Amino acid sequence: MNIQEYFSLVFNDYTLRTITLGTAVLGAICGMLGSFAVLRKQSLLGDAISHAALPGIAIAFLITGAKNSNTLLIGALVSGLIGAYWIRGITKNTHLKSDTALGLILSLFFGFGMLLLTFIQKMPNSNQAGLDKYLFGQAATLIESDVWLMCIVTAISLVVVLLFWKEFKLLLFDADYTKSLGYNTQFLDLLITALIVLAIVIGLQTVGVILMSAMLLAPAAAARQWTNSLGVMIFLAAIFGALSGVLGTAVSASSNNLSTGPVIVLIAAVFVVFSFIFSPGRGLLFKEIRYWKNRNDLQLHKTLAFMHNIAKTHENISHPHSIKILNNFQGYTKKSLKKLEGKMYITVNGSMWAMTQEGYDAAANLYNQHNNND
Amino acid sequence: MKQNIAITVDDLTVAYNYKPVLWDIDLAIPEGVLMAIVGPNGAGKSTLIKSILDIIKPIAGSVKIFDKSYKEQHKLVAYVPQKGSVDWDFPTTALDVVMMGTYGSLGWIKRPGQKQKKEALEALEKVGMLEFKSRQISQLSGGQQQRIFLARALVQKASIYLMDEPFQGVDATTEKAIINILKELRKAGKTVIVVHHDLQTVPEYFDWVTFLNVKKIATGPVKDIFNDDNLTKTYGINYKVSVQQ
Ligand SMILES: Nc1ncnc2c1ncn2[C@@H]1O[C@H](COP(=O)(O)OP(=O)(O)O)[C@@H](O)[C@H]1O
Ligand SMILES: [Mg+2]
């Protein structure tokens, strides 16, 4: 199947449609909530929580023997929440910095989870519990009820975010000030963390514990490049996330052996790279262009100022001067003369140049501007 | 006339990780003063302000705002945090930040409307930043960011203003503009408390002063206690400032 076939099939083929919808919704909710993590500079939190979910999956399987994804996800939810709770506890009650606490919980829980997985695989009648799909995800196993769950969680998150929009914005920008206004920041913090944990848990089956945090961070980091408004950023992040989901599913469905989770994350990464280079305000490319433009403008201004100084000494400002006079001046190039002529600031006649009234005024203005800025 | 006490601090001790940074502080700040808090870096000035604002929980002691707990009185108190305490690259505009000053009186969930926007615009005008209202906050200079924070506090229409180094990184013109606003607030009967670094300007700007270095060294009217003795006790070196009175 190639990409074209995929897109013609996606509307008819039930399985394909389910998977595509699932990854799109997942991408959207991850982008939305990931924006909070990025702006709070809590990028590692998602990573720690998703890794912390692994032992919960294994334990849920050991207790119930269920392969049913919802049962296992409840296990993931519980151990993810315990991980998040412990991280808070450690940072609050010890001297350890938060990244230390995050790293500690991440490796501890993940190591324990791996241990349990190995144990389960060695059990006599484990008949491939298929738990390793939670490491890198397996979108192909998504069924309609999974997608419904994703939609419900997304709807709940959306309602909560809209309801507490003002409070979340305040907390993200200035937590101390939020407290001083009498808001219960602990509650808000818990709410955000709980939503992030939920998003992670519903993504585990598709993307897996290892790449889950990339799914949270990448769309948000990309979106940040394009806008200076929080609302637009979150909206864009959701769009980027959903697009990553759809395109990732399309690519992996059209090349049989690629597993969906990593491809989705790779596409999200492409969004990030593209945004960091090409976005207008903050992108590297435009920064470079602006830099060169400023340099050129400066050169032009310098030349104009020099000419202005010469013209000033004559009663008739449009008195022609030899271009040679400009030779001992470095900012002058044939190109900048052409440009000045193009702007009608000077006229060039053979080896002579003369300033126009327009150029004279522009140069005088330049001076004023510089003085005002000082 | 007996003056009301705006802020009462009783036996306040605060520690980070068991290391005390404020030790047994007692303060009674009268209503209507314009007070400077001075002390060297790390003296606990920001910590004192945050404790008054109930941002940091003390290990001992209490703070009262007009004889009641902060929780009950938070609408009477406005806060200007240290400029460096937030990420100015946050995706928002100057007007939006100033609007945040109205969130305290709005309360949970309610959205700001036209009334709040009007108040925010007035505050922006007052600090001379109206023309920058739509500017992304990272595109503002340090002094302009400081003015935005001041405007946000003004919008709170409080009785007590707590400001952490509002003059940090501002030029002389902005400093004059800010101090004029503070003096106006005092004239209107507000209590204004400012963490201040420039000792030279204390007598000119303030009428009340608190010397702080982990412990409270002294507190009272500038004309009575702003002297070399207290400065030396606070800063630990032999201090000589020319105090013009
Ligand atoms: N969050 C914190 N965790 C640990 N120590 C802190 C924290 N904030 C401040 N401190 C320490 O407490 C002391 C007082 O800090 P602060 O109140 O910011 O002083 P000031 O504002 O007077 O410069 C300093 O030694 C500082 O290192
Ligand atoms: Mg400080």
Side-chain angles (χ1 to χ4, degrees):
Chain A
M1 177 165 63
N2 61 31
I3 295 246
Q4 264 171 351
E5 281 166 359
Y6 164 83
F7 277 110
S8 56
L9 265 178
V10 75
F11 295 104
N12 305 315
D13 184 87
Y14 172 79
T15 319
L16 212 50
R17 197 174 56 206
T18 308
I19 297 172
T20 306
L21 255 174
T23 52
V25 172
L26 178 68
I29 185 179
C30 283
M32 177 169 90
L33 297 174
S35 301
F36 289 149
V38 166
L39 289 173
R40 293 208 77 185
K41 313 235 178 314
Q42 280 184 328
S43 318
L44 255 178
L45 182 69
D47 216 17
I49 292 174
S50 63
H51 283 74
L54 190 61
I57 294 171
I59 291 172
F61 174 78
L62 283 174
I63 293 174
T64 64
K67 281 205 265 177
N68 165 310
S69 66
N70 287 350
T71 316
L72 299 182
L73 288 187
I74 288 177
L77 181 66
V78 171
S79 78
L81 284 173
I82 292 177
Y85 183 75
W86 282 9
I87 290 167
R88 279 177 65 92
I90 290 176
T91 23
K92 240 181 147 173
N93 300 318
T94 72
H95 295 218
L96 296 176
K97 291 226 173 67
S98 70
D99 49 348
T100 318
L102 290 166
L104 202 70
I105 293 297
L106 184 154
S107 24
L108 215 70
F109 275 64
F110 186 62
F112 183 51
M114 287 305 286
L115 200 77
L116 289 175
L117 281 197
T118 325
F119 173 71
I120 289 170
Q121 251 142 27
K122 290 212 172 109
M123 281 191 335
N125 47 17
S126 70
N127 56 17
Q128 296 162 323
L131 294 195
D132 44 343
K133 78 173 176 208
Y134 290 100
L135 283 178
F136 287 105
Q138 204 171 351
T141 60
L142 281 179
I143 53 173
E144 202 179 313
S145 67
D146 296 329
V147 177
W148 272 115
L149 183 67
M150 287 179 178
C151 289
I152 290 169
V153 171
T154 306
I156 292 174
S157 307
L158 194 63
V159 169
V160 172
V161 167
L162 288 176
L163 210 56
F164 294 101
W165 179 255
K166 149 174 141 274
E167 287 79 7
F168 283 158
K169 180 156 79 173
L170 192 61
L171 182 74
L172 291 175
F173 176 59
D174 195 343
D176 279 351
Y177 188 70
T178 311
K179 265 193 208 171
S180 85
L181 292 183
Y183 285 99
N184 184 342
T185 51
Q186 227 162 344
F187 167 73
L188 288 169
D189 208 32
L190 266 167
L191 208 54
I192 291 184
T193 311
L195 290 182
I196 290 177
V197 173
L198 269 180
I200 287 171
V201 166
I202 60 162
L204 289 181
Q205 194 184 347
T206 314
V207 182
V209 298
I210 294 172
L211 291 174
M212 193 54 217
S213 73
M215 202 53 224
L216 275 173
L217 303 180
R224 178 66 190 94
Q225 292 299 106
W226 298 94
T227 173
N228 281 324
S229 141
L230 179 64
V232 177
M233 173 182 165
I234 290 176
F235 180 73
L236 272 183
I239 299 281
F240 287 168
L243 280 177
S244 307
V246 174
L247 293 175
T249 310
V251 169
S252 82
S254 42
S255 36
N256 276 331
N257 288 322
L258 289 179
S259 66
T260 315
V263 175
I264 293 177
V265 169
L266 266 178
I267 300 230
V270 170
F271 274 105
V272 173
V273 172
F274 183 84
S275 305
F276 270 76
I277 297 175
F278 293 107
S279 73
R282 307 162 66 92
L284 294 176
L285 185 68
F286 284 82
K287 273 195 186 140
E288 196 68 9
I289 290 175
R290 259 201 311 278
Y291 172 75
W292 283 105
K293 194 174 167 310
N294 278 343
R295 256 182 74 122
N296 286 339
D297 282 357
L298 207 65
Q299 221 161 55
L300 215 62
H301 289 172
K302 262 161 64 183
T303 313
L304 190 64
F306 187 71
M307 292 171 154
H308 176 254
N309 271 339
I310 298 173
K312 232 174 19 188
T313 59
H314 284 263
E315 200 134 312
N316 171 16
I317 53 161
S318 298
H319 182 88
H321 301 272
S322 158
I323 290 179
K324 277 203 192 112
I325 307 183
L326 302 174
N327 274 355
N328 57 358
F329 176 66
Q330 298 203 328
Y332 139 71
T333 57
K334 286 235 154 58
K335 224 172 95 193
S336 51
L337 272 193
K338 268 250 149 52
K339 257 197 184 151
L340 287 172
E341 198 183 7
K343 290 189 172 189
M344 316 269 252
Y345 285 172
I346 59 168
T347 54
V348 176
N349 195 349
S351 65
M352 306 292 271
W353 61 269
M355 204 155 209
T356 64
Q357 184 64 43
E358 229 175 331
Y360 192 84
D361 294 344
N365 247 331
L366 224 57
Y367 273 122
N368 288 341
Q369 260 175 31
H370 279 284
N371 290 342
N372 284 347
N373 286 344
D374 286 341
Chain B
M1 185 189 90
K2 190 190 163 292
Q3 231 173 344
N4 283 328
I5 300 299
I7 301 175
T8 320
V9 177
D10 247 341
D11 296 334
L12 184 79
T13 298
V14 179
Y16 294 112
N17 307 324
Y18 313 111
K19 176 180 147 247
V21 293
L22 287 179
W23 189 257
D24 205 14
I25 308 281
D26 285 304
L27 278 177
I29 304 169
E31 185 177 14
V33 296
L34 178 47
M35 181 179 101
I37 300 177
V38 299
N41 286 328
K45 303 181 295 293
S46 300
T47 305
L48 175 61
I49 295 229
K50 287 183 192 170
S51 312
I52 294 174
L53 290 160
D54 203 24
I55 294 169
I56 293 177
K57 298 275 174 275
I59 54 175
S62 69
V63 173
K64 291 271 185 294
I65 310 291
F66 290 116
D67 289 326
K68 288 191 186 139
S69 72
Y70 184 85
K71 242 194 189 65
E72 294 166 272
Q73 304 280 52
H74 71 82
K75 284 186 185 167
L76 298 181
V77 186
Y79 176 37
V80 176
Q82 235 165 314
K83 202 185 73 195
S85 66
V86 304
D87 174 14
W88 288 93
D89 197 32
F90 191 82
T92 191
T93 61
L95 176 62
D96 225 23
V97 171
V98 178
M99 294 271 269
M100 290 175 185
T102 65
Y103 289 8
S105 57
L106 274 173
W108 288 93
I109 295 174
K110 260 225 238 82
R111 298 291 178 97
Q114 282 310 311
K115 177 170 167 280
Q116 281 74 22
K117 187 171 174 191
K118 198 169 142 267
E119 289 169 358
L121 289 172
E122 281 166 11
L124 274 168
E125 168 125 60
K126 190 146 203 185
V127 299
M129 289 288 294
L130 195 53
E131 56 180 312
F132 298 101
K133 65 177 190 298
S134 311
R135 192 66 81 80
Q136 153 69 17
I137 54 172
S138 63
Q139 311 281 319
L140 299 169
S141 73
Q144 292 171 331
Q145 291 172 346
Q146 203 66 264
R147 287 179 194 223
I148 291 300
F149 262 7
L150 180 62
R152 184 176 70 170
L154 292 177
V155 166
Q156 291 184 247
K157 302 218 164 58
S159 310
I160 299 174
Y161 291 79
L162 295 164
M163 308 190 179
D164 204 340
E165 305 197 22
F167 300 114
Q168 187 202 40
V170 308
D171 58 27
T173 332
T174 305
E175 178 156 338
K176 282 276 161 320
I178 293 179
I179 194 67
N180 283 337
I181 291 172
L182 302 194
K183 286 183 170 169
E184 236 175 78
L185 285 173
R186 180 189 46 189
K187 223 178 263 164
K190 317 288 188 191
T191 311
V192 185
I193 294 154
V194 179
V195 173
H196 193 56
H197 263 301
D198 182 7
L199 296 169
Q200 302 291 338
T201 52
V202 168
E204 184 192 337
Y205 291 172
F206 301 97
D207 54 17
W208 209 266
V209 63
T210 293
F211 292 93
L212 186 75
N213 192 351
V214 184
K215 294 178 183 177
K216 181 193 73 180
I217 311 294
T219 181
V222 170
K223 62 179 182 343
D224 298 340
I225 67 159
F226 193 69
N227 52 39
D228 291 347
D229 185 34
N230 280 329
L231 284 166
T232 306
K233 275 189 199 153
T234 309
Y235 288 85
I237 39 174
N238 210 358
Y239 238 94
K240 292 266 178 271
V241 287
S242 48
V243 181
Q244 320 99 341
Q245 279 172 9

